[in-house]
Amino acid sequence: MATRVLQSVGNGLNQARNRVLMNGPIIVATRGLSASNNRNREDSWFKSLFVRKVDPRKDAHSHLLAKKEDNNLYKIQFHNVKPECLDAYNKLCEDVLPSIHADPEYPCELVGTWNTWYGEQDQAVHLWRYRGGYPALTNVMSKLRQTRFFMDYRKERGKMLLSRRNQLLLEFSFWNEPVPRNGPNIYELRSYQLRPGTMIEWGNYWARAIGYRQQNEEAVGGFFSQIGSLYMVHHLWAYKDLQSREDTRNAAWQHEGWDEVVYYTVPLIQHMESRIMIPLKTSPLK
């Protein structure tokens, strides 16, 4: 009986071998296609584990993160000045910008004006606040373009600049509103280019983190861009000097939770930059 079983199995194997020899290319192609489909499905499933899940939002992040009790719009200007013209440029700004700030006809305020000390050299940075949002900005610019002294200022300024750019910003609801302060201080502007879609996460972490950075009243203001380079965040800090900056930043690591904030926010950043700035004589932030 065992002999008959072995013969039967042998005959079956011979028949299967003959079918493979006659139809081999078709069978192999079919099995290859099946394996390929299986691999594609496995790859797709594996990759889906790492795809970022986007939570549906019912409102713009500007409405979720900005202060609702006021309607402030900020403009930050970066002017790269010809090195030989920096002193004349500063003098021109000191003559003109405070007069705009003080004139009640213009619903705007000069928050601060600086020269970059460490970072991009021969650069001026101006921060303006428009109480009333976009209508206030439109109103101010419309009136200034009809003013002789401002147009003369722009013409003279243009001779001194290599390049310029600006951004329109909103302030984070959990940051202080920038107010004039006595000096002397140095200021650090830390700018973060975030990955698109991560602004809400950034805001959630920093709403908690800002509490760790108030010990020396160093937090001046926090902003995020609306027009210009998008998904850009600016944090403005004030210190007595560079050593004070070092001591204050190191002290933050002694607070439980600060390391967690850094750990989770660093992956949200595409690019970051730090400027150490010196205020001009007429800057409200001294």
Side-chain angles (χ1 to χ4, degrees), residues 33-272:
L33 180 61
S34 176
S36 176
N37 287 338
N38 287 337
R39 281 196 301 271
N40 288 340
R41 284 195 295 271
E42 290 172 359
D43 289 346
S44 177
W45 173 83
F46 183 73
K47 290 176 181 177
S48 71
L49 296 178
F50 301 94
V51 173
R52 182 181 180 82
K53 301 297 189 298
V54 179
D55 294 328
R57 303 286 179 189
K58 297 184 182 298
D59 208 348
H61 69 247
S62 59
H63 292 166
L64 297 173
L65 295 173
K67 292 182 178 178
K68 295 180 174 61
E69 62 272 17
D70 53 37
N71 188 23
N72 291 340
L73 180 69
Y74 290 81
K75 178 172 69 176
I76 191 167
Q77 299 172 299
F78 299 96
H79 290 173
N80 293 316
V81 185
K82 296 175 182 178
E84 67 274 14
C85 297
L86 187 59
D87 289 340
Y89 172 90
N90 288 340
K91 178 65 167 58
L92 181 66
C93 290
E94 289 172 353
D95 290 342
V96 175
L97 302 188
S99 63
I100 298 174
H101 169 82
D103 194 330
E105 285 293 313
Y106 308 120
C108 65
E109 304 163 34
L110 181 63
V111 177
T113 177
W114 305 268
N115 285 154
T116 300
W117 184 22
Y118 289 105
E120 197 163 352
Q121 296 293 283
D122 304 309
Q123 185 182 71
V125 180
H126 310 294
L127 182 62
W128 295 87
R129 175 168 50 224
Y130 299 86
R131 295 195 184 274
Y134 292 107
L137 171 66
T138 303
N139 183 21
V140 169
M141 297 313 299
S142 177
K143 288 181 177 179
L144 285 176
R145 289 192 181 99
Q146 299 175 28
T147 306
R148 177 67 180 271
F149 88 92
F150 180 74
M151 298 309 293
D152 290 344
Y153 156 75
R154 288 190 58 168
K155 183 177 180 180
E156 190 64 25
R157 184 189 68 183
K159 301 174 184 177
M160 305 177 185
L161 298 184
L162 293 171
S163 65
R164 60 191 178 100
R165 62 186 176 90
N166 58 25
Q167 292 175 331
L168 295 182
L169 315 169
L170 296 177
E171 57 186 329
F172 285 109
S173 60
F174 46 84
W175 272 77
N176 312 327
E177 179 177 302
V179 295
R181 62 172 65 196
N182 297 323
N185 296 296
I186 63 170
Y187 290 82
E188 181 177 18
L189 182 66
R190 296 179 70 88
S191 302
Y192 305 89
Q193 179 66 61
L194 302 187
R195 299 182 184 280
T198 61
M199 186 66 74
I200 298 293
E201 289 178 73
W202 181 274
N204 287 339
Y205 285 117
W206 266 96
R208 181 159 51 99
I210 192 62
Y212 305 137
R213 297 298 310 276
Q214 300 277 17
Q215 302 302 311
N216 296 323
E217 298 182 347
E218 67 268 25
V220 178
F223 314 92
F224 59 98
S225 61
Q226 287 292 281
I227 296 178
S229 298
L230 298 180
Y231 287 97
M232 178 72 76
V233 169
H234 299 286
H235 291 173
L236 184 61
W237 309 92
Y239 305 101
K240 293 302 180 185
D241 50 41
L242 288 174
Q243 186 59 53
S244 171
R245 170 187 177 274
E246 180 75 5
D247 295 342
T248 301
R249 288 177 55 81
N250 287 340
W253 291 94
Q254 306 306 313
H255 294 283
E256 184 178 354
W258 175 253
D259 56 341
E260 181 181 343
V261 170
V262 173
Y263 178 83
Y264 284 110
T265 54
V266 165
L268 309 180
I269 302 169
Q270 285 185 328
H271 174 75
M272 59 187 295

